[in-house]
Amino acid sequence: MEILKIEHLSKIYGKGETAVTALNDVSFTVKKGEFIAIIGPSGSGKSTLLHLLGGVDRPTRGKVFVDKTDIYDLNETQLAVFRRRQIGLIYQFYNLIPVLTVKENMTLPLLLDGHQVNQEHFNKVVQVLGLQDRLGHLPNQLSGGQQQRVSIGRALMNQPALMLADEPTGNLDSKNSKEIVDLLKLFNKTYNQTLIIITHDERIALQADRIITIEDGRIQKDEVIRP
Ligand SMILES: Nc1ncnc2c1ncn2[C@@H]1O[C@H](COP(=O)(O)OP(=O)(O)O)[C@@H](O)[C@H]1O
Ligand SMILES: [Mg+2]
């Protein structure tokens, strides 16, 4: 089943002489449960692409369908709801809210939606992430690896259509990097959670089912590693 379809996606920042074409006519599809690594030089348009897949920014041209929904056909309010329910975003620097506890950070997207926390799902995610003893802690009382685990938990609370990670191990040492990638893979395999990771780390890219290489805002290569 196709969970994501991107058609002729382009993004130009700015206007006139200072305009930058960050993404230039990119098209591809993603099957539910796929694990994709996006690689490419710095400034090639990787983060721009990920943001457009997640409804964080609007494209200059082209379309993004997530689970058949044409997401840029939605108005701002609908797009915000879509993002909260269907997209799990993970960043290099975690982006946790400093004054909220681990549990509050994880459940915030649900509460913003007026939804009850599914306690069973919450407990399972917390258990897998090894955060049982940290639920009342604030982010600054946690290590980097633990903070990233919280941000993974937050991303998974809504059982999103897409989990999108922008260099999720960029700020971690090799042991914590491995743990984070192992966890992301576990959720990918166990829950068939579609996963797209931007990474500089070849060892991480080689664990994906498919590697997409971006250069100068275009797809330069799209290789299936594990059919
Ligand atoms: N908000 C922005 N305004 C203007 N230019 C931007 C903006 N974001 C990114 N760019 C430019 O778009 C290009 C692609 O950036 P980005 O998607 O962040 O690349 P990557 O993630 O591959 O390093 C770069 O030339 C960058 O300078
Ligand atoms: Mg980037």
Side-chain angles (χ1 to χ4, degrees):
M1 182 199 141
E2 203 172 271
I3 192 87
L4 175 66
K5 182 161 82 173
I6 298 136
E7 287 180 341
H8 304 295
L9 205 58
S10 294
K11 178 73 182 181
I12 300 169
Y13 292 110
K15 282 199 163 63
E17 298 220 327
T18 58
V20 174
T21 302
L23 214 59
N24 190 354
D25 195 18
V26 167
S27 302
F28 62 92
T29 60
V30 175
K31 286 187 295 229
K32 182 166 167 55
E34 252 188 308
F35 169 16
I36 297 181
I38 296 180
I39 62 172
S42 175
S44 57
K46 303 181 300 295
S47 294
T48 299
L49 173 62
L50 207 75
H51 282 147
L52 292 176
L53 304 186
V56 177
D57 200 0
R58 284 181 184 266
T60 307
R61 276 188 295 278
K63 285 182 182 293
V64 175
F65 297 89
V66 177
D67 213 0
K68 304 271 187 291
T69 301
D70 181 349
I71 67 169
Y72 293 110
D73 209 25
L74 303 174
N75 67 33
E76 283 310 311
T77 314
Q78 292 167 326
L79 189 60
V81 172
F82 158 82
R83 261 198 315 267
R84 212 151 59 218
R85 295 190 186 157
Q86 299 298 343
I87 301 296
L89 265 170
I90 299 166
Y91 291 102
Q92 182 174 355
F93 294 106
Y94 329 125
N95 284 20
L96 300 174
I97 298 176
V99 297
L100 298 183
T101 64
V102 166
K103 181 170 186 183
E104 289 165 343
N105 266 286
M106 282 179 63
T107 54
L108 186 65
L110 287 174
L111 300 179
L112 285 174
D113 251 355
H115 286 179
Q116 297 271 338
V117 176
N118 176 337
Q119 202 60 43
E120 203 182 324
H121 180 63
F122 177 81
N123 290 343
K124 194 154 56 180
V125 170
V126 163
Q127 186 102 45
V128 174
L129 294 172
L131 291 169
Q132 310 86 305
D133 303 330
R134 294 288 182 278
L135 293 178
H137 285 59
L138 295 172
N140 69 9
Q141 299 171 317
L142 303 175
S143 71
Q146 287 169 332
Q147 290 185 63
Q148 194 60 301
R149 282 189 259 153
V150 176
S151 93
I152 293 172
R154 175 180 59 186
L156 285 166
M157 272 305 105
N158 274 322
Q159 299 170 278
L162 300 178
M163 181 108 128
L164 306 176
D166 195 345
E167 304 195 25
T169 65
N171 195 40
L172 300 174
D173 60 31
S174 60
K175 177 174 169 286
N176 276 295
S177 293
K178 183 175 182 314
E179 270 176 33
I180 291 299
V181 172
D182 285 348
L183 285 166
L184 290 170
K185 270 170 64 184
L186 181 73
F187 287 108
N188 169 248
K189 297 296 169 238
T190 314
Y191 300 107
N192 205 27
Q193 173 67 60
T194 311
L195 174 63
I196 303 180
I197 297 186
I198 295 176
T199 184
H200 275 125
D201 188 334
E202 191 183 37
R203 284 165 306 179
I204 295 175
L206 287 171
Q207 298 179 56
D209 303 321
R210 175 175 165 200
I211 303 179
I212 295 178
T213 308
I214 305 283
E215 254 171 54
D216 284 334
R218 289 178 177 274
I219 295 185
Q220 205 245 338
K221 252 193 285 182
D222 186 345
E223 306 159 280
V224 174
I225 311 275
R226 283 174 199 81

